Amino acid sequence: MMRIGKAAGWAAFGLAAVSSVLVALVSYRFLPLGVEGAMDFMAHHLDGNALALYGHIGVAPIALAVMPFQFLSGLRARRPAVHRWLGRLYVAAILVSGLSGLQLAFYTTAGSFAGTGFALLAVIWLGTTGAALVFALRRQFARHRFWMLRSAALTFAAVTLRVYLGILTGLGVEFETAYQLVAWLAWVPNALVMEAYLWTERQRKGALTQARPQLS
Ligand code: HEM
């Protein structure tokens, strides 16, 4: 039973890791095609917001591609320096792409409902990642891990956004409506699932500590 649980965990992690790296790579289609050719509904940002647009679409995929490697315990144990350097890259990428994503949120043509969803995501993304960094610097690694898992659930919104957008438009929902919905749907469930996971983990560890025999 335990083995099935572990295998399912690895399968879910593998799927999340592969989809993160794939979405990150596909995001760079604007390099050969240009923004107009690759994502024409973003092209209006070129007029006055070009720096934020390129800052976001050029840097956010780095955070997405790096994120899964940070959760490989083998890599962390054997190559702690690699974990630290990738961690710095992840945090720096989120600082740039979170701030630029926040700016883009104010200028989205998808309306204020979608803009609020994106803006809130940007603020919570920056906040959770900042908290994780502070706990790493204070060497409080259990808390660092908790906040990095929260940050990762939000980074993964880049994948879930594209999945939900595909499902909704596939079901016949108009692109404009689907886009407004995914501005929230892409990250709120991710955040809730992660909170549920962290809560369960805390309960399990609490039960283990209570069950352990006292030494004195
Ligand atoms: C988690 C915090 C994030 C926020 C708040 C955010 C916000 C935004 C906003 C506001 C836009 C423009 C939407 C519009 O004008 O209608 C956008 C577009 C985009 N974002 Fe993000 N984003 C985030 C994460 C990411 C990540 C991790 C990636 C990595 C792939 C990414 C890649 C892109 C790309 C490629 C676009 C252009 C449109 C597209 O291809 O779908 N974003 N983002």
Side-chain angles (χ1 to χ4, degrees):
M1 197 67 179
M2 191 71 178
R3 275 206 181 139
I4 296 174
K6 235 180 172 175
W10 272 107
F13 175 77
L15 191 66
V18 170
S19 56
S20 295
V21 174
L22 279 180
V23 168
L25 289 175
V26 172
S27 296
Y28 285 115
R29 68 195 182 282
F30 75 91
L31 289 177
L33 301 174
V35 172
E36 289 93 344
M39 38 187 89
D40 65 336
F41 64 106
M42 292 289 123
H44 68 96
H45 289 301
L46 290 172
D47 190 13
N49 269 325
L51 191 63
L53 179 66
Y54 285 119
H56 187 71
I57 64 179
V59 177
I62 298 175
L64 186 63
V66 161
M67 182 256 287
F69 297 97
Q70 293 300 83
F71 294 103
L72 293 172
S73 49
L75 182 70
R76 239 173 18 234
R78 277 192 295 275
R79 297 259 187 278
V82 172
H83 179 77
R84 277 198 299 274
W85 277 106
L86 288 182
R88 285 169 194 147
L89 185 62
Y90 177 80
V91 172
I94 289 179
L95 184 62
V96 173
S97 56
L99 289 174
S100 50
L102 182 60
Q103 180 168 338
L104 295 182
F106 286 100
Y107 295 94
T108 178
T109 48
S112 58
F113 179 71
T116 310
F118 284 132
L120 207 58
L121 168 61
V123 170
I124 304 176
W125 200 33
L126 287 162
T128 50
T129 312
L133 174 66
V134 167
F135 285 121
L137 294 173
R138 287 189 193 160
R139 308 189 67 76
Q140 294 178 315
F141 295 120
R143 287 184 168 177
H144 164 66
R145 179 177 161 272
F146 260 52
W147 284 96
M148 268 308 177
L149 281 166
R150 288 181 168 126
S151 163
L154 299 176
T155 308
F156 197 63
V159 174
T160 41
L161 182 143
R162 283 147 184 94
V163 170
Y164 292 135
L165 199 56
I167 293 175
L168 289 171
T169 51
L171 287 173
V173 179
E174 267 185 49
F175 181 83
E176 285 73 22
T177 312
Y179 197 71
Q180 286 172 18
L181 292 175
V182 297
W184 291 89
L185 203 53
W187 64 275
V188 175
N190 290 9
L192 292 177
V193 168
M194 184 51 76
E195 283 314 309
Y197 172 76
L198 294 176
W199 185 83
T200 319
E201 201 182 86
R202 272 198 302 265
Q203 297 298 311
R204 214 175 41 228
K205 281 193 179 148
L208 275 179
T209 320
Q210 276 175 15
R212 208 169 285 153
Q214 297 296 312
L215 292 176
S216 57

